[in-house]
Amino acid sequence: LSKGFQIEEIVELKQNQNGFFFDVKWYGFTNEFNSWEPAKIIWEDAPQMVQKFIWKSKKVNLMKRLCEFLNVRYESLMNNDY
């Protein structure tokens, strides 16, 4: 992530032909400044935020596809063993 920007929350996840993207709420900014960021970049920079988002999600199949895309075992992530 760019220096000085912190993730407050991952709001949503979308998948398209280019991969997975998170709707990111940035700390200190209003929702109008939220942005869609590549999931792999967010995973590399803030894995704990991604894990929290996956834990809270009710969309199990989508989360499993995301984990496969990130090369992370869903079960390991859910057990905090990644």
Side-chain angles (χ1 to χ4, degrees), residues 8-61:
E8 182 174 324
E9 179 182 11
I10 296 173
V11 180
E12 189 57 70
L13 172 70
K14 72 177 178 181
Q15 180 183 17
N16 63 30
Q17 67 275 10
N18 296 316
F20 287 86
F21 297 84
F22 289 118
D23 181 16
V24 174
K25 164 88 171 78
W26 300 104
Y27 183 78
F29 292 88
T30 61
N31 289 340
E32 69 183 346
F33 292 99
N34 288 12
S35 60
W36 290 98
E37 303 294 335
K40 283 191 177 185
I41 300 294
I42 302 302
W43 171 251
E44 290 170 5
D45 290 344
Q48 69 284 1
M49 297 296 291
V50 174
Q51 184 178 33
K52 181 178 175 183
F53 177 81
I54 291 172
W55 281 348
K56 291 179 3 180
S57 178
K58 305 280 191 251
K59 301 174 183 176
V60 174
N61 288 333

